[in-house]
Amino acid sequence: MELFRGKVTSAQRQWQVGYDYAFGDASVEGAGVYMGQEMTLKFQNEYLLAAVGRHLVTTVPDNIIVLEARTADPIPPEFLVSGMDLVVFGLPCAE
């Protein structure tokens, strides 16, 4: 299910010393039906949480899938950059 669509306005990440992964967060400004809204993505090696404003949209154990809007290429957290157009999907975990 599509959760959000928009452009990355900021992406802050730090690399964990001694490990090969990044943790941080990104802000995505809404586009289309999401215009005027902002999504926050939190990550640590994988996307952990997606929120729109103060409303939690999804979190682990559900899957948060981030794709480049034009090509549908998957975008891991360490490759998020400002100006990138994204579509964010959520996939519920098995019960």
Side-chain angles (χ1 to χ4, degrees):
M1 163 184 359
E2 182 177 304
L3 302 176
F4 203 78
R5 182 179 291 263
K7 183 180 295 285
V8 178
T9 55
S10 69
Q12 291 86 36
R13 69 183 62 76
Q14 296 178 348
W15 292 94
Q16 183 67 34
V17 176
Y19 298 93
D20 192 22
Y21 66 82
F23 65 95
D25 57 70
S27 296
V28 183
E29 180 180 274
V33 298
Y34 307 103
M35 187 74 70
Q37 300 177 56
E38 182 177 75
M39 175 174 268
T40 301
L41 295 167
K42 303 270 187 193
F43 53 85
Q44 180 174 327
N45 193 47
E46 64 181 316
Y47 297 102
L48 301 175
L49 175 148
V52 176
R54 296 175 57 121
H55 176 71
L56 180 64
V57 178
T58 192
T59 187
V60 294
D62 295 340
N63 289 301
I64 301 169
I65 302 156
V66 178
L67 303 178
E68 202 283 326
R70 286 183 220 94
T71 63
D73 287 337
I75 306 297
E78 59 269 20
F79 293 113
L80 283 173
V81 293
S82 292
M84 186 177 280
D85 291 318
L86 303 178
V87 181
V88 181
F89 292 94
L91 182 64
C93 67
E95 292 187 25

